[in-house]
Amino acid sequence: MKAIIPAAGLGTRFLPSTKCTPKEMLPVLDKPVIQYVVEEALEPEEVTDAIIVSSPDKPSLLSYFQPDLSLEQLLRGRGKEAYADAVAEAGALPVDFRFQYKPKGLGHAIRSAADAVAGESFLVLLGDYVVPARDICDKMLAVSAEHGGASVIAVAPCAPEEVSRYGVIAGERAGSLPGAEGAGDEEPGAVWRVSGLVEKPEASEAPSNLYIVGRYLLSPLVMDLLEDQTPGAGGEIQLTDAMERSLDREAMYAVVIDPLSGYDTGTPSGWIATNALMAAADPRFAGGFWDAVEERGGLSR
Ligand code: G1P
């Protein structure tokens, strides 16, 4: 199975930083955001490769995932084995690239990788969300296996005034992940059968407040439907719209996850908070981070 990671956007919200550095290359602690997403994508044993859909204007993404033997050797020669290993690791990840030549929307980006998935089910992982536990794809795969290979998406509850930022599902409770049988309908582990999907609805028109968090396991039919998908919300070719059309012919499920399982890196303030929270939670950085904060009298709102 392949995992598609769209990374072709302009990174407008991070300008001017993203004038030369792709948004996906901004660091979280000591690694670029995209490496967390690639590592998460490769976590399930079914997944063989990550396919990054990029734009031709972002050559640094390609170079990052290439081996760099001269840098590695230079570091080893200086006794810096841990850095050399980190450089080697980034260059050895099974990552392939496809290109989206025009920014026509998420659905169009995914369709640009159609040849790579060749008629098989595939995962999609959006890059603005870092999931340290890397466990969402395995949950979706488990639900899919239980339902004959159906498409499965990860959803989480949000405040009603936030639904217009997301894709939102309609549906009904259909079960639970093993061990989560007691979960309420909007609690982690609840499984829904999806009966409808709407991209960026007005709060008054949203069928629920369960939004698509950016992790998908999709059947080949969704990829086929993207071929002739017409533009939707924002004038863009929306993945959500092709998924909605697939419901006429196939079942789809949603698994509720804890909205706090991931960190949002999609806006400058989300990215800054992600770095602070992940630094505080990582023994490699926590000491130095808190020392630097306390030296300036601590942090309070
Ligand atoms: C995309 C999807 C949307 C999903 C969201 C999650 O929207 O189209 O359905 O809820 O990601 O972040 P975007 O953020 O690209 O506008």
Side-chain angles (χ1 to χ4, degrees):
M1 179 178 285
K2 305 279 168 68
I4 303 177
I5 302 174
L10 288 173
T12 321
R13 283 184 280 202
F14 285 89
L15 283 167
S17 306
T18 43
K19 188 164 170 260
C20 296
T21 305
K23 171 177 84 163
E24 297 79 11
M25 289 301 297
L26 297 174
V28 169
L29 307 185
D30 56 352
K31 286 193 295 201
V33 172
I34 190 133
Q35 190 170 345
Y36 291 87
V37 185
V38 167
E39 288 168 351
E40 182 194 342
L42 296 169
E43 184 76 11
E45 60 183 29
E46 293 85 339
V47 178
T48 54
D49 299 90
I51 313 291
I52 296 178
V53 179
S54 189
S55 103
D57 306 327
K58 296 182 172 186
S60 61
L61 271 174
L62 273 82
S63 356
Y64 185 78
F65 288 105
Q66 293 294 312
D68 186 342
L69 293 179
S70 51
L71 175 59
E72 212 186 301
Q73 275 162 13
L74 181 104
L75 292 164
R76 293 206 195 283
R78 292 184 181 175
K80 298 191 180 301
E81 292 299 325
Y83 287 126
D85 290 347
V87 168
E89 209 177 299
L93 290 164
V95 173
D96 204 353
F97 282 84
R98 293 293 182 276
F99 295 99
Q100 184 191 24
Y101 292 95
K102 286 184 188 156
K104 291 194 195 170
L106 176 61
H108 180 258
I110 301 303
R111 179 71 206 170
S112 307
D115 74 296
V117 304
E120 290 184 343
S121 291
F122 56 98
L123 290 162
V124 174
L125 292 91
L126 304 188
D128 287 346
Y129 193 60
V130 170
V131 182
R134 304 181 186 170
D135 56 350
I136 299 179
C137 295
D138 275 324
K139 288 177 179 164
M140 298 191 302
L141 284 158
V143 174
S144 180
E146 202 186 317
H147 294 283
S151 295
V152 181
I153 52 177
V155 296
C158 67
E161 62 275 17
E162 286 179 358
V163 287
S164 61
R165 290 169 46 195
Y166 298 113
V168 175
I169 66 161
E172 59 185 35
R173 178 76 178 264
S176 310
L177 284 178
E181 289 78 9
D185 291 347
E186 294 189 357
E187 285 175 0
V191 174
W192 288 53
R193 167 117 185 206
V194 178
S195 59
L197 293 142
V198 197
E199 183 67 17
K200 302 197 170 60
E202 293 298 324
S204 58
E205 279 155 25
S208 77
N209 63 334
L210 289 174
Y211 74 96
I212 305 170
V213 299
R215 297 293 180 269
Y216 311 72
L217 167 58
L218 299 173
S219 75
L221 173 64
V222 178
M223 188 60 95
D224 291 346
L225 292 169
L226 280 171
E227 173 76 44
D228 60 2
Q229 184 59 51
T230 50
E236 298 192 335
I237 296 176
Q238 296 290 354
L239 178 59
T240 306
D241 293 344
M243 289 160 57
E244 157 74 20
R245 284 165 65 212
S246 80
L247 297 176
D248 291 343
R249 289 158 59 184
E250 285 183 358
M252 182 182 295
Y253 292 83
V255 59
V256 179
I257 61 147
D258 181 345
L260 299 182
S261 4
Y263 294 91
D264 176 17
T265 63
T267 60
S269 47
W271 175 76
I272 292 162
T274 299
N275 268 289
L277 292 163
M278 285 183 58
D282 187 326
R284 295 175 306 147
F285 297 96
F289 170 73
W290 284 118
D291 286 351
V293 169
E294 277 157 21
E295 207 174 272
R296 286 165 185 275
L299 267 180
S300 56
R301 194 177 182 114

